[in-house]
Amino acid sequence: MSELNMVALLLSFLASVALGQGAVRSRSQTERSRRVALNTFTDTQTTGVTEWTSWFNIDHPGGNGDYERLEAIRFYYRERVCARPTAMEARTTDWVPAADTGEVVHSSLEKGFWCINKEQPHGHICSNYHVRFQCPPVQSYWTDWSEWGPCSTTICNDVGIQVRQRKCVSTQPMPLLLVPACQGHHSERRECSTPPCTAKWSPWGRWGTCSVTCGGGRRIRKRTCVRTSVTVQCTGRPVEIQKCGKSPCPSKCQRVCTEGRPSEDCSRCVCDGHSLHGEVYSVTGVPVAGAWVALASQPKVIRARTDAKGQFKLLGVCSSTSTLITIRKDKFAPVTVSTSSNTTGSSWIRAALKSAEKPYIVKHPEDKVRYEGGRVLLCCKATGSPTPDKYYWYHNGTLLDRKVYKYEEDLVLRDLKPEQSGQYYCKTSSSAGSIKSSPATLTVIAKGTPACNSSPETHFIRLPMDCVQSGTDSKYYNAGRCPHNKCAGSLDFDMRCKDGAGFCCGVQNMESRTIDCGSYSLPIRAVSQCSCQKCVQPTVLVRGRVVTADNDEPLRFGHIYIGKERVGTTGYQGGFTLQITPDTKRLVVNFVDPTQKFLDTPKVFIFDKKGGSIYHDVKVMRKQTPIDINAGETNSIDLGEIKGEDPIGQLVIPANSFHKDNGEVYEGTVKASVTFIDPRNITTAAAAPGDLNFVDDEGDMLPLRTYGMFSVDFRDETNKEVLGAGAVQVLLDTQHVKMQEHIPKMKLWSLNPDTGVWEEESDFSYTTTTAGGHGRSKREERTFLIGNMEIRERRLFNLDVPENRRCYVKIRAYMSDKFLPSEQLEGVVISLINLEPKPGYSSNPRAWGRFDSVITGSNGACLPAFCDSLRPDAYTAYVTAMMGGEELEAAPSSPKMNPNIIGVSQPYLDKIDYQRSDHEDPALKKTAFRINLAKPNQNNLDETNGPIYPYQNLIACENAPVDANHFRFFRVEKDKYEYNVVPFEENDLTTWTGDYLSWWPNPQEFRACFIKVKIHGQKEVMVRSRNLGGTHRETKGKLYGIRDIRSTRDMREANTSAACVEFKCSGMLFDQAEVDRSIISVLPQGNCRRINTNNLLQEYLIKHPPVAQNNESHAFTMLAPVDPLGHNYGIYTVTDQNPRVAKEIAIGRCFDGTSDGFSREMKSDSGVALTFSCPERKINRESLFQRLQTNPGQTLSQMARDMRELEGLQVQRSSTQVVAYPSEQQGRTQSRRVSSTSRRRVSMRTQQRQ
């Protein structure tokens, strides 16, 4: 017996040791959640040999994954799994161990086994797994602890004891010696306490009835004290008394009426037998039916309603005294009018109701910078009908307490703290709606903090292509610049809506430096110190041309309105220029044709606040030819006329609906012109007026998606008087609404020409009618959406639906097709046209739904667009770019798509399906691209880096790094370089610095000068202008800058090209004290020789001394003319308030060879100043090795003389030089014949002087 006991104890000990090691190993694996096929978990309480259960499979990998939970297995198979398994095994239904599947799985002996689909690599889903568990056949173990029992005490604020228990369980009882008893206690105790004693009042009961009905009384209400111990009491009273019945008891009315008697409520005088007759019309003379009529003293009590003729009658209104009457109706501004007094017993009034207009912000809060402890005034003002009467101010999106800040239209903040920095905006509302202002940024500078960092930030400028800095070989130089931020300056008065003078961080000091380019040196003026100074106020311009959408016929002498004010007239070619005030936030311009050939077209223009001039190509629609209709009959006019297609809808005008301005019904023949902007015609997209936005109830501006716009013009046949129409119906054919979710949200809108915002006219309802379509063989029943409207003003109407599936598209513009991040272009107008979903119209799937434009900044542009996450091709877009009237090219998509060129990585690029406009037809222009607007999947890493961003991620789009995905445009003009000794960014006029060597001496007026150089030669060549100070004492002999440009081939003439080379104009410098005649050297690259100089130019230079010497045939030097010479001299001068516009116009005239034309095709035979012959150099002399072979003595002697001359010239060389293409000049010198020693010396001296 003792031997048996020893054996049992030994087996128990060995099993415990082995299983204990397994437990450590299994816990390590569980903590790391590794991929496992067999997880071994053991229980130190088990003894004996274990065995496996059957396989369990209670879940499938659909949905989120495969979950084989132990709790669920026990629910279905209660007796087949032991309470504490020691191990678990998992395999797929194909009998593959989990570790061999390559999937990420998890297991736990307490929870079971699970696999999650989204954790699997490459988008795979989990396999279908089954599991089994290992259980000991003989074991003893504790059961789980029971719940804690109740506390032994029930008295509040007392201490007691809680107990819980467990049992020792053995599944197969064995002799006590073979089965060790469970270790530990079968029960546990812990201290417990009861909650503190409390006493609380119950809710108040209802008020009792008042003791009296008038004259003053009392009423009471009660409550009870609910407590847990008699030792505590409630504080307060169980009964509350309130005064009631305060209204005075009825007494005799004291009102004295000179005529009639007091009314029953003693509020007015009533004259029995008297009556008030009234008529209510719109401002266009249309009777207004259904208007509410009330006394102004009791506006909420409706006394009458107008009938179909706009008339009403009020009885009992005394005629001998004036009475104020208030009239209201939906979509009209309420009006209060006074009756006229008489003694007849009857009085009359006539009221005109003006259409209600939603509030519109006309004064937005301005950005301000203040020091801590200062004060600031933020202003906001809105117009509308009725006038907005409520204003609310928000700070960083949080409403400010009106009681604390005591604001109305204006917000005043005193004793400013740094934490008050942030964005502020106002919201205003009236009965017609609400609107929010643009946000203004308030910056509060803490005490002790400088307003402007005096150290300039890094700013690299590109050096000439032949300038190689020794040691670095870098093509860039850090010239420094001051940050473009406002600062707190010294204001004369700090409580203005707009500060009298803005202060910006600007240049305080500049220092002269020299850049070592190896073979020559460049001077540069670099920023050394910044300080807070008055901001440069750039001139903000909007330019463009107004033409028709069908054949580009110009709108000649059209009237231009901003709001209700006429601000200008278009030119003979439709051109216009508008100067915009700096505080303009939203620019709405209305173009009106006085001849009435074209539609009145409101446009919402984008503009560059930094002073850049933006060019807009405005398209207007030609009015449809009027048709004759009978005003006494019901008339239907189709909306949309595309061959082979049904109209999008109809305009139904009931009989006798036309009326004159005085309200009289018109009964004759009507000349009706209805012009429809059909979205199925892609060419009409640019003619869409406004910006297709509306203001919602919260005051936010949101986008619309159009299904067509129309304008109506009804006139009297005889005197052409404009007619109005009431109760007009608009029918929209639902077959054209391909996105069925749009149908319930469809509305009828009208465009406010003053604000450019679309305002809701009416909802649509369903109707069914039988109609025949264009090209249909039979009439069929069709479903229409019907909306009601009244044509009371000359407005444009719209069939639109609000669309909330929105995204942003990232686009950048570059100087060339090299797409260098440092060569991004600002001020480029990017336009995006949203196209109809792909399953759209059968004959024209490119119907458009929206048109948006944005200007590129320093980090590109983000354009709003409609997008869809379920179908990548649900929405598509057509994108173009324009800069100063010049169309930019898009990145190519053929012969195959290159992600590195397009700027979008795979596989997202395939999903977007990028195609440039010439993708299928190389003969088409290359200035646009089309994409699918696939909303990015945020769970897909490939789609989280642009170029399409969800609508809520606008900040991520605007701040995206340059290496993030984006679409690209570039300028076709290549090999162009500009170097300024005083750096200046022409796309940001605020970077201008006043210096004698500034290329542009005046930041308010920019004068661009170009000279036309003709080149005879098979190849295009680079031409440089080197510009030095000539006659001014501060700039004489100093470099202003360098301009390089490659000549452009003349396609009409063989072996001929020409270059329009910019040079520094002569004139006053920035101090406006003295004229400088700048010295200009024109230097073509290569083997070039000047063969002709314009006679008129040469004569002018001789007559206006001093005359520069032109002894070198490979170059031309002159003192720039002060006068603005024209094309007859080959000189092109344009002055403008924007430098880029001035240069674009001058280049266009130079290409065209005229003083008033414009061309992008080079005409080398017109308006030329200089002509050079640049033949290809022929290799017709012996090499050094060949000369040493044939005549060694003479060759060595010549080499010695050359070396002596070169050493002498090097001693005379000055420290700072600017040369033109030194490598080419050296090649030209070496090409001279060896025997021409004297000519060689002259050439080499010339080279050194340069």
Side-chain angles (χ1 to χ4, degrees), residues 52-117:
W52 291 94
T53 66
S54 58
W55 292 94
F56 303 103
N57 186 3
I58 63 170
D59 192 20
H60 296 277
N64 294 329
D66 192 7
Y67 295 84
E68 307 295 337
R69 295 288 191 185
L70 188 57
E71 180 183 1
I73 294 173
R74 284 201 177 104
F75 177 80
Y76 292 109
Y77 308 99
R78 295 181 182 275
E79 305 299 332
R80 294 174 58 180
V81 181
C82 53
R84 293 187 176 182
T86 59
M88 175 173 53
E89 183 179 4
R91 292 177 179 267
T92 67
T93 53
D94 295 329
W95 214 247
V96 179
D100 299 339
T101 63
E103 298 175 359
V104 178
V105 299
H106 309 270
S107 65
S108 168
L109 287 177
E110 289 77 20
K111 297 181 181 179
F113 175 88
W114 64 97
C115 175
I116 302 174
N117 287 335

Side-chain angles (χ1 to χ4, degrees), residues 28-235:
S28 175
Q29 292 175 351
T30 303
E31 291 169 358
R32 293 190 297 267
S33 295
R34 291 182 175 178
R35 302 169 186 165
V36 294
L38 177 60
N39 287 342
T40 305
F41 291 83
T42 61
D43 192 330
T44 57
Q45 294 289 326
T46 59
T47 62
V49 181
T50 60
E51 63 182 20
W52 291 94
T53 66
S54 58
W55 292 94
F56 303 103
N57 186 3
I58 63 170
D59 192 20
H60 296 277
N64 294 329
D66 192 7
Y67 295 84
E68 307 295 337
R69 295 288 191 185
L70 188 57
E71 180 183 1
I73 294 173
R74 284 201 177 104
F75 177 80
Y76 292 109
Y77 308 99
R78 295 181 182 275
E79 305 299 332
R80 294 174 58 180
V81 181
C82 53
R84 293 187 176 182
T86 59
M88 175 173 53
E89 183 179 4
R91 292 177 179 267
T92 67
T93 53
D94 295 329
W95 214 247
V96 179
D100 299 339
T101 63
E103 298 175 359
V104 178
V105 299
H106 309 270
S107 65
S108 168
L109 287 177
E110 289 77 20
K111 297 181 181 179
F113 175 88
W114 64 97
C115 175
I116 302 174
N117 287 335
K118 67 180 182 180
E119 293 182 352
Q120 308 310 315
H122 310 299
H124 296 164
I125 64 173
C126 297
S127 304
N128 191 7
Y129 289 92
H130 54 189
V131 298
R132 67 175 182 174
F133 301 90
Q134 195 175 41
C135 296
V138 179
Q139 58 183 352
S140 60
Y141 59 90
W142 289 110
T143 63
D144 293 333
W145 286 104
S146 65
E147 297 292 334
W148 287 102
C151 195
S152 60
T153 181
T154 58
I155 301 173
C156 61
N157 201 23
D158 198 3
V159 178
I161 299 296
Q162 280 182 296
V163 180
R164 67 175 182 177
Q165 296 179 338
R166 61 178 178 177
K167 295 180 180 181
C168 184
V169 178
S170 176
T171 57
Q172 296 183 7
M174 293 181 64
L176 185 60
L177 292 176
L178 294 179
V179 181
C182 301
Q183 298 179 3
H185 300 285
H186 73 281
S187 64
E188 277 187 354
R189 296 188 177 194
R190 71 177 182 184
E191 187 180 89
C192 59
S193 62
T194 56
C197 299
T198 59
K200 294 182 179 180
W201 288 110
S202 66
W204 285 103
R206 293 186 177 181
W207 287 103
T209 58
C210 190
S211 59
V212 296
T213 58
C214 65
R218 294 183 178 182
R219 61 178 181 173
I220 63 171
R221 63 177 181 176
K222 298 180 179 181
R223 60 181 177 176
T224 58
C225 182
V226 180
R227 54 184 180 171
T228 58
S229 174
V230 294
T231 61
V232 291
Q233 299 290 338
C234 296
T235 58

Side-chain angles (χ1 to χ4, degrees), residues 27 155 304 318 369 622 651 696 749 775 815 881 888 908 962 989 1015:
R27 282 194 298 271
I155 301 173
C318 299
V369 182
R622 190 185 304 274
L651 199 65
D696 68 356
W749 307 77
M815 294 182 184
L888 274 62
Y908 200 19
V962 71
L989 304 189
I1015 304 294

